[in-house]
Amino acid sequence: MKSDTLHLSAVYTKMIFRSWFQYRVDAILRSFAVFAREATSIIVVYFTLLKFDTLNGWNIYEMLFLFSLVYVTYGILIIFFTGLRDFGSTVKNGSFDRYILRPRGLLYQLIFANADWFAAVGHGGLGILLFILSAAKIGVVWTPWSIVYYIFSIIGGVLIQGAIFLFLASLNIYLLETNSLKEVFYWNARKFAGYPISIFHKAIQFCMTFVVPFAFVNYFPAQFILRKEDMSLYPGIFMYLTPVLGIVMYILAYAFWRYSIKFYKSSGN
Amino acid sequence: MKISPYMAFAKKSFLQKSAYRLEHWMGILNTLIRLVIYVEIYRALYGGRETVDGITMSMVTTNFILSLGLESFFVVNDYYLSSRLYDGSIATEMLLPVSFHGRMLADNLGTAAFKLIFHFVPAMIVACLFIGIQAPAGPGMFGLFILSALLGYGVLWSISFLFQMFSFWLMNVWAVMTIKNVFINVLSGSMIPLWFMPGFMRTLIGFTPFESIYFTPVQIYLGKITGSEIILGFAKQIIWIVALLLLGFMVWQKGQKKIVVQGG
């Protein structure tokens, strides 16, 4: 059974690669487009800080370090959670009904049949590049402890965002249309997660910490190395909560998913 | 050429838009959130300074309110042509006794009109009340601003029109459109006020159509450019519209012969 599942995952992955390479030019263009789109915020920050030097005490390299964690976690995220991100259209066009008929777990199918490896390379590549470049410029000294810390924080960051996707996918079962919610609560938050949250209004800080906790994906983990002055505004323990929060949020979202899936009604045709 | 069928198409897309309530409210919220966040970022960047390079904080705020406001109803459907090529409906559409391009524009304008009334206006009211916008440089300048904003939409539409012609050769234009939109986002002034671009970038951007979309109207509104500079701004906008459309039509002529409809 176990090796069977493993085999099936491998088959799924091979299929994804095959379908991509059917249109080679398109695959390359797409990866490049994703890369360019994601680099937009980096370009904007770069030009802005060329003029202003620092943003609330953060220089360009510290900002890039902050950004890099958003991209690295997202690169891993879309290997596993693309199916949940696009769950809305899966429900709308009825292909979710097919998943239900198959003798495998729904979540398992959603995850392995939809992994977006090319976008993962685009995002993850950009993230790793930024991470290495900026860490070197900031003068990060890597110790076993800090390496372990970042491995766990990145896993935590992936789980936090995965939980948000899973939660929104579950909401889809009731609402049928959650794209606009996702736009406001996920994409918008992500677009600005690269900025130190301390510059924002208290209400936005609260949202980024407790509602859509992007601050735990990058801001607090980045502070572990950087220890910028604005960290004094928050409890020091926040720097260590990312993995815990990730696991807790994911379990809650999973429970909500299991509960909601019972109410699933096909959208018909 | 009769105008009434196009009005009907515009009205149809106007009404279509009004069907999605939640999406609509979230759209307004989205515009406002982005606005607040950009303003907060710049407030932090200014760090209490009155002006940077002669640009006051209230000019920066006004730039964001106007360009994000215009962006909210400057609707262009980048996939109008490609979706019709993809599902084959282009064949029947080209048989209709109305111009395909006219339909394309009418469809976009209908949605834009809807967004202007129900997205732009409420978002503007909230923004002006809670964030505060600088008054226009004068009533005359305000008139010129509106004219220039209309031409700005023309430029944005013409860029999309030209890029849509790639649909004849590519099965999927998503990548091309995404890259086009990266250029618009970075170079049109809606993400960075162009005053703060480094000198060589400003010069470079001057040779592209992008600053004509949002930045020229904003400059006129604020009275940052006057007299002959305004005329130059208008001239650039008009030249870009004409050039892009001409080029687009040329490519259309070539592409039209390539249409292959796969089944139906």
Side-chain angles (χ1 to χ4, degrees):
Chain A
M1 182 67 202
K2 188 103 191 192
S3 72
D4 189 34
T5 305
L6 215 64
H7 174 70
L8 192 59
S9 310
V11 171
Y12 267 135
T13 307
K14 222 160 82 191
M15 260 164 31
I16 291 166
F17 273 92
R18 276 224 186 127
S19 73
W20 267 84
F21 279 115
Q22 279 298 301
Y23 304 98
R24 226 158 291 182
V25 179
D26 190 54
I28 294 164
L29 260 179
R30 252 171 198 265
S31 299
F32 179 71
V34 169
F35 188 86
R37 187 191 63 197
E38 295 308 318
T40 305
S41 8
I42 305 290
I43 299 167
V44 168
V45 168
Y46 175 77
F47 280 134
T48 312
L49 287 189
L50 218 53
K51 173 100 251 161
F52 289 90
D53 295 327
T54 60
L55 174 60
N56 202 21
W58 293 62
N59 67 30
I60 180 75
Y61 298 111
E62 292 160 342
M63 290 281 295
L64 291 184
F65 189 67
L66 196 56
F67 266 102
S68 72
L69 289 167
V70 176
Y71 293 116
V72 171
T73 52
Y74 193 79
I76 303 170
L77 183 75
I78 44 175
I79 295 175
F80 295 106
F81 293 98
T82 309
L84 292 169
R85 184 192 67 189
D86 302 337
F87 187 63
S89 53
T90 314
V91 168
K92 227 194 238 165
N93 67 26
S95 45
F96 188 58
D97 295 12
R98 259 188 314 179
Y99 287 21
I100 293 179
L101 295 174
R102 292 179 187 151
R104 274 290 183 280
L106 291 171
L107 212 47
Y108 169 81
Q109 293 183 56
L110 279 171
I111 287 172
F112 283 98
N114 295 290
D116 193 346
W117 293 95
F118 284 83
V121 171
H123 288 268
L126 182 64
I128 292 168
L129 194 75
L130 284 176
F131 190 79
I132 293 171
L133 279 180
S134 58
K137 285 283 186 182
I138 298 162
V140 174
V141 183
W142 292 108
T143 61
W145 165 226
S146 65
I147 291 171
V148 169
Y149 173 88
Y150 276 106
I151 290 172
F152 275 93
S153 294
I154 286 169
I155 295 171
V158 172
L159 284 176
I160 289 173
Q161 295 171 76
I164 297 171
F165 279 168
L166 186 54
F167 177 76
L168 287 171
S170 315
L171 269 189
N172 237 310
I173 291 163
Y174 307 98
L175 294 176
L176 222 62
E177 180 59 68
T178 55
N179 272 340
S180 47
L181 282 175
K182 205 180 297 163
E183 181 65 37
V184 170
F185 291 107
Y186 183 80
W187 297 116
N188 239 338
R190 180 168 174 269
K191 215 176 284 167
F192 299 107
Y195 291 88
I197 60 164
S198 60
I199 66 169
F200 295 126
H201 188 267
K202 282 273 177 296
I204 297 174
Q205 288 188 32
F206 181 84
C207 283
M208 297 286 265
T209 315
F210 299 108
V211 183
V212 188
F214 255 107
F216 289 96
V217 175
N218 68 337
Y219 180 74
F220 294 124
Q223 287 285 18
F224 177 75
I225 285 273
L226 299 175
R227 307 283 169 154
K228 304 292 295 178
E229 245 172 67
D230 51 354
M231 188 59 209
S232 61
L233 298 167
Y234 313 97
I237 181 90
F238 278 9
M239 286 188 291
Y240 302 94
L241 286 185
T242 302
V244 183
L245 191 70
I247 292 166
V248 170
M249 277 180 67
Y250 194 79
I251 290 172
L252 287 177
Y254 183 69
F256 183 53
W257 163 263
R258 287 305 293 255
Y259 173 79
S260 307
I261 205 73
K262 282 184 246 154
F263 298 98
Y264 173 74
K265 277 197 206 81
S266 175
S267 65
N269 96 42
Chain B
M1 193 164 100
K2 272 170 62 181
I3 200 80
S4 57
Y6 301 102
M7 280 304 285
F9 286 131
K11 202 174 146 199
K12 199 185 102 204
S13 85
F14 183 99
L15 292 174
Q16 238 167 26
K17 216 49 215 168
S18 51
Y20 300 96
R21 292 279 161 71
L22 180 70
E23 192 188 302
H24 183 73
W25 286 110
M26 287 295 160
I28 296 177
L29 186 62
N30 218 4
T31 303
L32 290 171
I33 293 177
R34 280 175 62 204
L35 188 55
V36 169
I37 286 182
Y38 279 128
V39 170
E40 300 238 286
I41 290 170
Y42 272 84
R43 203 164 282 149
L45 285 169
Y46 266 62
R49 277 174 288 184
E50 285 282 313
T51 61
V52 172
D53 288 3
I55 305 299
T56 63
M57 184 61 207
S58 93
M59 283 177 176
V60 173
T61 310
T62 307
N63 170 72
F64 280 121
I65 294 182
L66 292 178
S67 37
L68 291 180
L70 293 179
E71 197 185 270
S72 73
F73 77 94
F74 276 14
V75 181
V76 277
N77 180 359
D78 283 337
Y79 302 96
Y80 192 89
L81 177 59
S82 71
S83 66
R84 275 156 186 77
L85 282 170
Y86 191 78
D87 68 11
S89 56
I90 184 89
T92 42
E93 297 222 7
M94 283 175 71
L95 290 175
L96 295 176
V98 287
S99 137
F100 183 78
H101 308 110
R103 242 202 99 161
M104 201 166 165
L105 181 62
D107 190 89
N108 287 176
L109 285 180
T111 316
F114 179 84
K115 290 266 199 163
L116 173 68
I117 301 169
F118 296 108
H119 188 142
F120 174 78
V121 170
M124 273 297 127
I125 292 172
V126 176
C128 294
L129 285 179
F130 293 98
I131 302 173
I133 189 171
Q134 197 166 316
M141 290 301 244
F142 188 68
L144 290 177
F145 158 73
I146 291 176
L147 192 62
S148 162
L150 288 175
L151 288 171
Y153 178 71
V155 176
L156 184 70
W157 196 86
S158 309
I159 296 174
S160 170
F161 179 74
L162 176 59
F163 272 82
Q164 290 203 44
M165 297 306 147
F166 275 104
S167 319
F168 289 117
W169 289 272
L170 292 172
M171 273 294 261
N172 193 333
V173 286
W174 180 86
V176 175
M177 289 303 171
T178 304
I179 294 168
K180 173 205 84 160
N181 289 330
V182 168
F183 277 94
I184 292 179
N185 286 335
V186 177
L187 303 180
S188 72
S190 69
M191 288 179 91
I192 321 174
L194 294 185
W195 306 299
F196 300 133
M197 276 285 189
F200 73 97
M201 282 300 289
R202 268 308 279 285
T203 320
L204 219 63
I205 294 169
F207 291 109
T208 70
F210 303 112
E211 67 170 11
S212 294
I213 304 170
Y214 304 116
F215 196 60
T216 305
V218 169
Q219 290 268 70
I220 294 174
Y221 179 96
L222 287 171
K224 288 291 286 177
I225 54 173
T226 46
S228 60
E229 286 170 312
I230 295 183
I231 296 169
L232 183 67
F234 277 120
K236 268 190 181 174
Q237 289 183 309
I238 293 167
I239 289 169
W240 274 118
I241 294 175
V242 172
L244 289 164
L245 287 182
L246 268 181
L247 203 58
F249 277 114
M250 272 160 57
V251 185
W252 166 270
Q253 289 302 335
K254 274 206 144 70
Q256 210 181 7
K257 301 192 186 98
K258 265 196 56 95
I259 297 179
V260 180
V261 174
Q262 309 176 325

